[in-house]
Amino acid sequence: MDSRTPLRTCASFDMPAGACDAHVHMIGDKQRFPISATRSYTPGEASLEQLNVLRNAFGLDRVVLVQPSFYGTDNACLLDALKRLGSCARGIVVIDEQVTDAELERMNESGIRGIRINPKGFPSDHARIADLAQRISIRVAPYGWHVQAFLPLSTVAVLHRTLAGLHAPIVLDHFAGASADGLDQPGLESLFKLLDSGNCYVKLSAPYHAARSAPYYPEMLSLAHALIARRSDRILWGSNWPHTNAKPVQGISALEVSPFRDVDNAALINLVSAWAPDAEIRTKILVDNPAALFAFPR
C-alpha cells in the first residue's frame, strides 16, 4: 500500500467547507531540492500533485505545510509548493539564528504563519528548550505567527508555565507527545493547564507515533475526547501526510530511501468523527480553529 494516496474517495462524515489538514510535508525532487547531508534518514518523494489527489478525495479545502527535519533550514521546497497552492495553503518553516527581519517579512507575505523548533539535539535540556522557545516567540510575535514543536509530554509538563507565557502561541504536535496510556499518564494535568491558558494549541495528528493498533488506534480515543472536552477551541487536526518513517530500518542506511509508513489515509481521516462525534465541534477543529491560527480568509 502506498500511504501517499487515499484508499477510498470520500470521508465517512460530511466534510465542512473550509476544512483544513493542519500538518503535511512536501518532499520534492532531490535534484531540485537537495536534502540535508546530515539527515538521519532519506524519504521518498511526495509531490504536490499527490497531495492534491488526497485533498480532493476527502474534501480538504485548506492545508498547512510543515518543514520536515531532513531539509534543515532550507525551506525552498515548502515555499515553492506554497506559491503554487496559493491562498488555500499556509506554511511553517525552520529558521536559524541568522535569519533577518526582511527574510521573515518576505516569508510572511508568502503565507508563512509559524516557526517550527526541533530540540532533537538537546531533548532533555529543559532550560535550553525554554530559552529557544522564548527567543523564537519574540521574533515571530510581530507577524502574528506561532511557535510549533513536537515535545515529549514530560517536557511539556516541566515547561507548561513557560510555554503559557510565550510572546506567541505554542502549537504542540502529535497529541502533545502523549503516550497511548490514556488518561492515567503523568503530565496530562499540566497539559490541560497549558490549554486553559489560551496560548496553546494541540494537534490531533500522527496517532501512530504513540499507538500501534492500526488503522483506528483506539488507545488514543479517551485522550482525544479529553483534550477536545477541555478546550475544543484550541484543537487542530493534521494527517502528517505522507507518513515518513524516521526509525532506522535494518539493512537501510541513512542515505538510502526509507519506505513510508503503512498508513490507511481513509481510516486516519475518519478518526476525526470518532474523536469529535458532534458536527459543530468537528467544524471548530477542522475549520474555525485553523482559520484563526493560520489567518486563512474568512
Side-chain angles (χ1 to χ4, degrees), residues 18 27 35 45-46 52 72 100 103 105 114 142 165 168 180-181 196 250-251 259 282 293:
I27 311 172
I35 54 182
E45 184 176 342
N52 283 334
T100 66
E103 289 174 307
E105 184 61 45
D181 295 331
D196 288 342
Q250 187 174 6
R282 283 201 302 273
L293 180 65

Side-chain angles (χ1 to χ4, degrees), residues 124-174:
S124 301
D125 192 337
H126 297 145
R128 188 173 173 186
I129 294 170
D131 177 66
L132 176 61
Q134 286 277 21
R135 287 186 287 110
I136 292 295
S137 74
I138 291 171
R139 290 296 305 273
V140 305
Y143 304 99
W145 295 3
H146 63 268
V147 179
Q148 179 177 316
F150 182 27
L151 303 171
L153 182 58
S154 57
T155 298
V156 173
V158 171
L159 297 178
H160 75 276
R161 292 186 180 85
T162 297
L163 297 176
L166 293 179
H167 292 76
I170 178 73
V171 176
L172 299 174
D173 291 340
H174 311 330

Side-chain angles (χ1 to χ4, degrees), residues 168-275:
I170 178 73
V171 176
L172 299 174
D173 291 340
H174 311 330
F175 285 83
S179 72
D181 295 331
L183 303 182
D184 297 327
Q185 54 191 298
L188 274 186
E189 191 55 41
S190 294
L191 174 59
F192 291 150
K193 290 178 181 177
L194 177 54
L195 274 173
D196 288 342
S197 74
N199 203 44
C200 173
Y201 289 77
V202 173
K203 286 185 184 178
L204 303 186
S205 54
Y208 45 73
H209 280 318
R212 295 292 177 266
S213 300
Y216 296 109
Y217 311 102
E219 307 97 317
M220 308 305 288
L221 184 63
S222 62
L223 179 58
H225 284 170
L227 290 168
I228 291 170
R230 190 73 176 216
R231 286 298 297 260
S232 61
D233 62 331
R234 289 297 181 270
I235 303 299
L236 307 163
W237 174 81
S239 67
N240 201 40
W241 183 90
H243 317 296
T244 59
N245 193 351
K247 290 185 177 180
V249 178
Q250 187 174 6
I252 298 180
S253 76
L255 302 181
E256 296 177 276
V257 174
S258 177
F260 291 100
R261 292 175 182 269
D262 184 8
V263 174
D264 182 336
N265 286 302
L268 194 65
I269 196 167
N270 287 329
L271 277 173
V272 179
S273 63
W275 293 339

Side-chain angles (χ1 to χ4, degrees), residues 25-30 35 43-47 68 70-71 77 242 244 260:
H25 304 294
M26 294 306 309
I27 311 172
D29 176 84
K30 293 178 178 59
I35 54 182
E45 184 176 342
S47 69
F70 45 79
Y71 278 128
C77 181
T244 59
F260 291 100

Side-chain angles (χ1 to χ4, degrees), residues 33-34 67 71-78 94:
F33 301 110
Q67 174 77 342
Y71 278 128
T73 59
D74 183 352
N75 299 285
C77 181
L78 184 151
V94 175

